Amino acid sequence: MKDKKEKNKPEREKREQKAPHHIVSYIDNLKADIAAFFDLNGGQEFRPFDVHDHFGVQDKKVRVLFNEILHELEQAGRITYHKNGTYSAGANKPVNKDLTGRVDRVNKSFAFVIVEGRDDDIYIESELLNGAWDGDIVSVQTLSKNSRSSGRSDSGKSRVEGRVTDIIERKNADIVGIIEINQRYAVVQPDNKKLFDPIFIEPEETKDANTGDKVIVKVKEWPTRRSQAAGEIVTVLGKAGDNDVEMHAILAEFGLPYDFPEHVEAEANKISDKISKKEISNRRDIRDWLTFTIDPVDAKDFDDALSVRYLDDEVVEVGVHIADVSHYVLPNTELEKEAYRRATSVYLVDRTVPMLPEKLSNNLCSLRPNEDKLAFSAIFEISPKGKLLKEWFGRTVIHSDRRFSYEEAQAVLDSGEGDFPKELATLNKLAKIFRAERFKKGAINFETPEVRFKLDENGKPLGIYQKERHDSNKLIEEFMLLANKRVAEYVYFLSKDENKNTMVYRIHEAPDIERLKTFATFVGKLGHKLEVEEENKIAKSMNAMLARVEGKPEQNLIESLAVRTMAKARYSTQDDGHFGLAFERYSHFTSPIRRYPDVMAHRLLQHYLDGGANVNPEEYESAAKHSSERERLAAEAERASIKYKQVEFMSSMDPDAEFDGIITGVTEFGIFVEITETASEGLIRMTDLGDDYYELDKENYRIIGQRTKKIYTFGDQVKVKVKDTNLARRSMDLYLAGTIPSPSRENRGGRSNVRKPAVHESRAPRSSRGNKKPGGSSAEKPKRKRR
């Protein structure tokens, strides 16, 4: 017996030698967390019981350990003991270095906090979010190494982590979701994919909602460690799946308005339809000039028109005439406040939510044919070779002679017959000269496809097609670009000294070089070369690469990724130029019916035309930032409505129908495929690739079968079928044609065929915001660099 004990002694000693190290590490982490608890609640006093309760400690031995740690922290001066038996943060509390940023909830396990001015975002474990939800503005404290969670794959060396210390501003207390009503309670599951927590509703506060209805909920109590969020129903939108309900839900989800307040409509309706003789006398009267509009066939508001006059054989005078919204929308009026609040019109699949009431957007400010209209004009004298000889800016009164659709104008260009063939041909010739000149100077030819739908009277999609761009589209685009560019230049050079006149510019910074390199590496694996080392060669190389992929299966994908690789254009009073257009200065002047920054540009231009002094930029910079944010929300809502209709359309397909697709992403949980015909993206889960175990080769954007060595690579063409569609999540599951999919997840049993690799995801560079997987779990905590 003794021999046996002696034999086991070395092993026992080995275990005993290891134990203190693990215990010390645990105590150090615990001590740091308790100290942080007091630091985060400075000025408050806590009993030991309160500390136990906060950390959920019930075991007596652990409570004794906590009390000993409290004593040690007091001895170190980190906390202070009071005669009433409580503790508070001590004099040796570290200097608060909290940062302020916006929460981006990547998945259920973690989030990032985006801090303006930082190159990288701060990684936050879900349990350290302190109840913050996606989009909230928060204070965040970076963590020292000994207070980080243990067990990570990268040891925390390459990523800044933190914890939320305070919630400064909630993004939105109104949440859209689907309600489920039970006998004693109800819950609303948010539609927003970045909101993971259900909201509790008292049964008496469900109004007239039924299970399965879409509702808008106002959050009354935000979640804590011990309780979920609680709210009350503000609006019952109706049955989930109804077209109007879903479109209203998307607007509400992104905090976008739908109806105009009554007092705003009333103010608009009081505006006279007639143009006074006095107003005409104060303007340049060009009603006798040949003028026409060219717009989409279904357009209801026409905010720009072109006029053409031949001064002689060598010079043509082209007028770009823009609806004079600033004449009707005056500062400090209800119309002005509402236009600022909205900042942009919103274009969903089946409707437009305008920035201005219909009285203005479709009537007074719409340059309809055969009506006198007030305009703000940019008039140019241009040589046959496209040289700008003379320009004039100011307020006018115009009269449109003809309303063209893009298709009608193109038919005239193609045939040379119809209304104004000579004038249209002249404009088209000049537009091509301007376009060639832009590309010569470094503009990038981004023409990402626009998805459009054929809808029935109830909004149900009957077909999906991609919008075609013709010379008539490009003609209008070039003259709008000319006006926007020249207005910006004109205001700039009107400045009388080094302090340049304040203007609202549309700026687009040069792309981040590291992000460009990532994109270049990615397209390189698909056989395409992109030069990124010299900035003056980027545009030329990008255009050449985009030209090479034209007509190929990966065209749409690469064009989309190229756009996402670039910095996002935004509004600012800073004169930083427009990289994508290769313009030194650029403004938005040509769409004031649907964009608030254009209204500001009109006001500023008129102020300087009247001889006004430079204005304080602070107010305009604030409005520019607000407009950029509203534009972002409107774009997200538009994409959500497109995604919804794509999934709805695919849900009506014959389940046996096969579709051509291209692999657009590879992850550890499956491969993403875009169906070529409808530009709809879906996921083939690993469980539906049942012929093998697949592992992710992250560096080469592919998955490899361990037994068969079969490879699925980004850009591969495949044939797929639709397995399942989920309208609530706007998502679609696919499977490869010729294979048998696994049962739906709710019915699936047994062992999964997924062998989890060490790496997490290798979806194209389109995703720089962390990695997602179904259910919100994460195999790896990513480092994220700001773009």
Side-chain angles (χ1 to χ4, degrees), residues 122-137:
I122 300 171
Y123 177 96
I124 311 285
E125 296 278 5
S126 58
E127 61 266 25
L128 298 181
L129 281 170
N130 195 20
W133 284 14
D134 181 72
D136 290 349
I137 304 300

Side-chain angles (χ1 to χ4, degrees), residues 101 217 228-229 269 297 319 397 413 432 510 515 560 594 634 691 693 781:
V217 178
Q228 67 187 108
N269 289 331
V297 66
V397 55
L413 288 173
K432 289 183 176 181
R515 195 169 187 178
S560 177
R594 61 185 179 92
D691 61 339
Y693 292 97
K781 301 169 189 173

Side-chain angles (χ1 to χ4, degrees), residues 522 557 662-666 672-674 681-682 714-715 763-764 766:
F522 169 73
L557 177 63
I662 183 170
I663 295 178
T664 58
V666 289
F672 287 90
V673 174
E674 181 180 284
E681 189 178 65
F714 188 95
R763 197 173 181 191
R766 68 193 302 172

Side-chain angles (χ1 to χ4, degrees), residues 12 28 121 132 145 150 170 277 308-309 315 353 404 415 463 508 538 544 562 566 646 679 719 733 739 750 760:
R12 186 171 65 252
D28 283 345
D121 300 328
K145 287 182 180 180
S150 60
R170 291 286 185 181
K277 292 182 179 179
V308 182
R309 289 203 308 169
V315 179
V353 183
F404 286 102
S415 67
H508 183 224
I538 292 173
M566 298 291 139
Q646 285 174 322
K719 283 191 176 292
D733 281 3
T739 66
H760 181 65

Side-chain angles (χ1 to χ4, degrees), residues 391-560:
E391 62 187 11
W392 179 90
F393 303 97
R395 281 177 155 149
T396 58
V397 55
I398 70 168
H399 186 99
S400 175
D401 300 287
R402 172 76 153 84
R403 185 246 158 154
F404 286 102
S405 68
Y406 284 121
E407 292 77 10
E408 290 171 335
Q410 188 62 44
V412 174
L413 288 173
D414 292 339
S415 67
E417 299 178 354
D419 294 336
F420 319 133
K422 179 182 177 182
E423 289 78 7
L424 284 170
T426 298
L427 292 175
N428 193 38
K429 177 184 175 183
L430 292 173
K432 289 183 176 181
I433 293 173
F434 296 153
R435 185 176 175 84
E437 186 67 19
R438 280 199 300 113
F439 290 141
K440 184 179 178 181
K441 290 183 177 179
I444 298 178
N445 186 20
F446 288 132
E447 291 193 9
T448 53
E450 295 184 46
V451 176
R452 292 290 183 264
F453 296 82
K454 295 178 182 177
L455 305 173
D456 68 11
E457 63 276 8
N458 298 316
K460 182 179 178 180
L462 303 176
I464 302 178
Y465 62 97
Q466 293 185 8
K467 179 181 175 183
E468 295 183 3
R469 279 171 50 81
H470 301 288
D471 282 351
S472 57
N473 301 81
K474 298 172 185 178
L475 180 160
I476 290 296
E477 180 181 84
E478 289 303 325
F479 281 98
M480 296 307 113
L481 291 176
L482 174 66
N484 288 332
K485 173 187 174 182
R486 292 310 308 164
V487 164
E489 296 281 7
Y490 183 79
V491 170
Y492 181 86
F493 287 108
L494 270 180
S495 306
K496 296 179 175 62
D497 52 39
E498 291 184 359
N499 294 323
K500 298 302 180 183
N501 287 336
T502 296
M503 185 59 176
V504 176
Y505 296 99
R506 180 69 167 178
I507 66 172
H508 183 224
E509 290 98 340
D512 177 88
I513 190 63
E514 292 302 319
R515 195 169 187 178
L516 262 181
K517 287 180 178 178
T518 300
F519 178 65
T521 300
F522 169 73
V523 297
K525 293 182 183 297
L526 297 179
H528 305 293
K529 186 177 180 180
L530 180 63
E531 172 63 55
V532 297
E533 295 299 330
E534 298 181 46
E535 185 173 317
N536 61 349
K537 294 183 179 179
I538 292 173
K540 183 177 180 181
S541 180
M542 180 75 77
N543 286 334
M545 188 270 292
L546 293 174
R548 287 194 299 270
V549 302
E550 189 171 353
K552 296 184 177 180
E554 67 267 29
Q555 176 185 352
N556 291 352
L557 177 63
I558 289 181
E559 287 176 345
S560 177

Side-chain angles (χ1 to χ4, degrees), residues 522 525 663-672 683-684 686 689 692-707 709-714 753-764 770-773 778-780:
F522 169 73
K525 293 182 183 297
I663 295 178
T664 58
V666 289
T667 74
E668 69 165 12
F669 53 84
I671 55 179
F672 287 90
L683 173 67
I684 302 177
M686 288 291 196
L689 294 172
D692 202 347
Y693 292 97
Y694 286 87
E695 289 190 356
L696 178 67
D697 179 3
K698 184 178 181 180
E699 297 303 317
N700 293 299
Y701 307 101
R702 62 185 184 178
I703 57 173
I704 303 173
Q706 295 305 291
R707 179 176 55 81
K709 302 303 179 183
K710 186 181 293 184
I711 296 174
Y712 293 102
T713 305
F714 188 95
N753 71 325
V754 183
R755 178 179 294 165
K756 293 192 176 181
V759 292
H760 181 65
E761 179 176 336
S762 179
R763 197 173 181 191
N771 301 314
K772 300 180 183 179
K773 62 189 288 188
S778 173
E780 179 180 309

Side-chain angles (χ1 to χ4, degrees), residues 580-643:
L581 294 172
F583 288 162
E584 191 171 350
R585 290 172 197 88
Y586 185 66
S587 182
H588 266 176
F589 170 81
T590 53
S591 294
I593 290 178
R594 61 185 179 92
R595 297 188 303 224
Y596 187 77
D598 301 56
V599 180
M600 290 192 286
H602 282 211
R603 288 174 178 164
L604 287 168
L605 176 57
Q606 187 60 52
H607 172 76
Y608 298 129
L609 287 171
D610 292 339
N614 195 7
V615 300
N616 189 325
E618 291 184 6
E619 177 185 347
Y620 286 93
E621 181 62 28
S622 175
K625 288 183 177 179
H626 168 75
S627 297
S628 297
E629 176 61 18
R630 298 300 289 181
E631 178 184 69
R632 181 185 67 82
L633 291 173
E636 289 180 2
E638 180 180 359
R639 285 193 293 269
S641 74
I642 290 171
K643 187 73 173 176

